[in-house]
Amino acid sequence: MSAAAYNPIRGISFKLISVAFFLVMQTCIKAAGPNVPAGEISFFRSTFAIIPIIIYLAWLRSLPRAFHTQNLAGHFKRGFLGVLSMICGFYGLTLLPLPEFIAIGYASPLMAVMFAALLLGEAVRIYRWSAVLVGMTGVIIILWPKLTLLQEGGFAAGEGIGALAVLFGAVLGGLAMVQVRQLVVTEKTATIVLYFSLTGSFLSALSLPFYWEWLDMKQTILLISSGIAGGIAQILLTESYRHAEVSTIAPFEYSSILFGIGVSYILFGDIPTVTMLVGTAIVILAGIFIIFREHQLGLARKAARKASTPQG
């Protein structure tokens, strides 16, 4: 990152606005109702996200370059994992209160740490492993009341299934994050974002013959809006990392739970439970600790590279 581009306040601002747009996306999906199939939601989310992304890349005059890739198979793999993650998450979102959906989704970066160690051979020492275990304990605290509802019938059981779907989506999201780490070695950010939306649109469309539903005008507008909002959020998120370090930006992801609680209460009348708040606090603290450790290790690696660079 160049010194001219470094502007933490601007980076944090972009991050917070991106969180707000992601919340708009989730709220639109929630408002579309529980009867819209998750594959259909994923199609609208991926397809209409392409519109602001194309406009943004054209404005930057980098659209032609964004289509150039050295790892088409890697993009497809990332897209496949990402679409499955979205489908599971969106299915759970239709069944769960918005704050609980957001809180369980915080398991995704914890999973990414675990998969990075197991699949990429990244060095993860006792501090981060401990944080992952503590964070997953928080996730279990959030999940437990929902899992006990599986023994009951009706909507209560639906909430339990929804919670498991969101958790499984978070696991797949962690795998997708690992795939992105492999892609950034050779691919530009714009290329990764563009191919994810294209792949997501194509794969989601494959579910059309199986379980799509006809939408009314309100549902159609809401789902189109969710896709556009998601695309704008992705752009703002990308821009935020142009102006500040990851360790500066990442903790503000957790502001989404505050926004989510407010929006969910105003629009849907959902009141967070004490169990959900306690579990969320544990997950957030674990996530922030992991970000702090990543920052420390990043500084240590920079210092080591500087020390090993020949002088004179």
Side-chain angles (χ1 to χ4, degrees):
M1 183 185 303
S2 66
Y6 186 72
N7 187 330
I9 299 300
R10 181 177 296 176
I12 291 169
S13 298
F14 276 130
K15 175 64 176 180
L16 289 173
I17 300 171
S18 79
V19 167
F21 269 96
F22 276 125
L23 184 61
V24 169
M25 178 197 78
Q26 293 158 357
T27 303
C28 287
I29 292 170
K30 183 74 174 173
N35 297 323
V36 183
E40 191 170 358
I41 296 172
S42 179
F43 174 80
F44 276 89
R45 161 65 178 91
S46 301
T47 301
F48 287 93
I50 296 173
I51 296 173
I53 291 171
I54 291 290
I55 293 172
Y56 172 68
L57 294 177
W59 178 64
L60 291 179
R61 298 180 179 179
S62 60
L63 182 57
R65 295 194 303 273
F67 283 96
H68 295 166
T69 177
Q70 301 179 43
N71 191 356
L72 187 60
H75 285 291
F76 183 82
K77 182 178 177 182
R78 184 265 190 273
F80 179 73
L81 291 169
V83 166
L84 288 180
S85 175
M86 280 199 301
I87 288 175
C88 291
F90 293 157
Y91 175 71
L93 177 57
T94 63
L95 298 173
L96 287 175
L98 184 57
E100 295 187 14
F101 163 79
I102 294 171
I104 297 171
Y106 289 156
S108 193
L110 302 176
M111 296 292 181
V113 173
M114 182 178 68
F115 289 136
L118 298 177
L119 302 178
L120 300 182
E122 290 189 7
V124 177
R125 295 182 174 83
I126 186 65
Y127 293 107
R128 281 187 290 171
W129 277 123
S130 299
V132 169
L133 291 175
V134 170
M136 291 311 300
T137 300
V139 172
I140 292 172
I141 290 173
I142 299 168
L143 284 173
W144 190 252
K146 303 299 179 188
L147 298 183
T148 57
L149 293 176
L150 288 172
Q151 300 174 357
E152 304 176 15
F155 185 73
E159 286 198 11
I161 295 171
L164 289 176
V166 176
L167 180 61
F168 188 57
V171 173
L172 292 169
L175 286 169
M177 288 181 187
V178 171
Q179 182 62 28
V180 170
R181 290 191 186 186
Q182 294 176 305
L183 284 172
V184 295
V185 176
T186 60
E187 305 295 291
K188 299 182 180 66
T189 300
T191 303
I192 296 172
V193 171
L194 180 59
Y195 273 94
F196 173 62
S197 292
L198 291 171
T199 306
S201 179
F202 169 73
L203 291 175
S204 299
L206 296 179
S207 66
L208 172 60
F210 301 103
Y211 58 104
W212 277 35
E213 296 286 342
W214 288 106
L215 305 176
D216 60 30
M217 182 60 69
K218 177 185 176 182
Q219 290 174 316
T220 302
I221 292 173
L222 284 169
L223 292 183
I224 290 174
S225 300
S226 75
I228 294 173
I232 294 172
Q234 193 65 54
I235 292 167
L236 291 167
L237 181 63
T238 302
E239 279 297 314
S240 72
Y241 290 112
R242 294 182 188 274
H243 299 285
E245 295 178 351
V246 173
S247 58
T248 301
I249 297 295
F252 289 90
E253 174 67 29
Y254 297 114
S255 64
S256 60
I257 192 66
L258 300 177
F259 296 154
I261 289 173
V263 168
S264 188
Y265 176 73
I266 293 170
L267 296 183
F268 307 112
D270 295 326
I271 299 176
T273 64
V274 173
T275 304
M276 191 280 285
L277 293 174
V278 171
T280 301
I282 293 172
V283 176
I284 290 175
L285 289 173
I288 290 175
F289 180 78
I290 288 173
I291 293 166
F292 173 71
R293 284 294 298 169
E294 292 280 0
H295 178 62
Q296 283 189 316
L297 293 172
L299 292 176
R301 285 191 289 267
K302 286 181 182 179
R305 285 196 297 269
K306 185 175 180 180
S308 64
T309 302
Q311 302 295 320

